[in-house]
Amino acid sequence: MDKKHLKPIYWGLFAGGGTLAALILPALIVLFGVLLPFGLIGFPPTLHTHWQGFVSRWWVFIPLALILFMLLWHTVHRLYYILHDMHIHVGNKTRWSLYAFALLILVLTLVCGLY
Amino acid sequence: MSRKPYHSRQSADWFMKNSYFSRYMLRELTCIPIGLYTINLMAGLVAFAQDQGAWVDWLVSQRNPIMLLLMVLALFSSVFHTITWFETTPKIMKIIKKDGTLLPGRWVLAANWLAFAVLSLLIIAFAAFYS
């Protein structure tokens, strides 16, 4: 298979993930890294009581996992190009391994979250 | 079939010699803390979908000094990522107005920051309302 045909897929996922990261990641980090763990907004178990049932439905859980997967894809894609920019000569094996790593984390998230 | 790959003669630390290139490399490197934190968020999502004990355990783990260090690094990285990502948007998205002229880049930039503000507010207000 001509790998050129796959370019729109991995660049598209990179663009989508990068855009999502730019739009929502700072808020997510402030929320899940500061506000909730340090009890600065309310009582976190209440959030769980209200939304656990909804979030654990497959048609909610999968899109949420996919959003995070796109962020991770953006990372591994960029990492590959950093290696190139730093003159660390890696080939396609490294590229596909990085993509496979992101996919593996997605599969783990889905398996652990849905079963 | 083996072809000798082209090796550039550029030095390995080329990006340290010019502040524009350093900023570029810093921007690229933001992806590492972002990626690590994303994996952490995926663990949090899994914990949330499970029982309340798992969710509380995950939240407690976020106060661990190593996780706090990652959080601070990821926060700085993600803000820098947002700034640089939005900066490039007007260069990629060329919006042509009805009169045939280009919509000024600062409007595209402003729209990005508006979307950022609205989404950030919604995410935090949502969590604050339900917890």
Side-chain angles (χ1 to χ4, degrees), chain B residues 18-81:
Chain B
N18 173 316
S19 67
Y20 186 83
F21 296 150
S22 310
R23 192 174 184 272
Y24 164 79
M25 193 50 86
L26 195 64
R27 181 194 88 189
E28 297 298 291
L29 286 170
T30 59
C31 78
I32 295 171
I34 288 176
L36 291 173
Y37 200 86
T38 301
I39 295 171
N40 173 41
L41 281 178
M42 285 163 130
L45 177 64
V46 169
F48 192 90
Q50 289 169 354
D51 55 295
Q52 195 149 303
W55 166 238
V56 172
D57 284 348
W58 183 80
L59 280 177
V60 169
S61 76
Q62 301 305 297
R63 300 202 299 243
N64 177 295
I66 296 165
M67 294 312 291
L68 282 177
L69 179 69
L70 174 65
M71 186 273 288
V72 171
L73 274 173
L75 187 58
F76 277 104
S77 296
S78 72
V79 171
F80 191 61
H81 168 80

Side-chain angles (χ1 to χ4, degrees), chain A residues 32-85:
Chain A
F32 293 108
V34 184
L35 298 178
L36 288 172
F38 290 96
L40 298 176
I41 47 165
F43 187 59
T46 318
L47 186 71
H48 186 271
T49 310
H50 278 292
W51 290 97
Q52 190 269 342
F54 184 69
V55 167
S56 58
R57 276 168 213 205
W58 67 268
W59 49 272
V60 179
F61 189 85
I62 292 173
L64 290 175
L66 284 175
I67 288 174
L68 293 174
F69 165 71
M70 280 171 78
L71 263 60
L72 196 56
W73 186 279
H74 140 269
T75 290
V76 295
H77 186 78
R78 207 163 225 190
L79 211 52
Y80 175 75
Y81 284 95
I82 290 178
L83 294 176
H84 177 264
D85 285 345

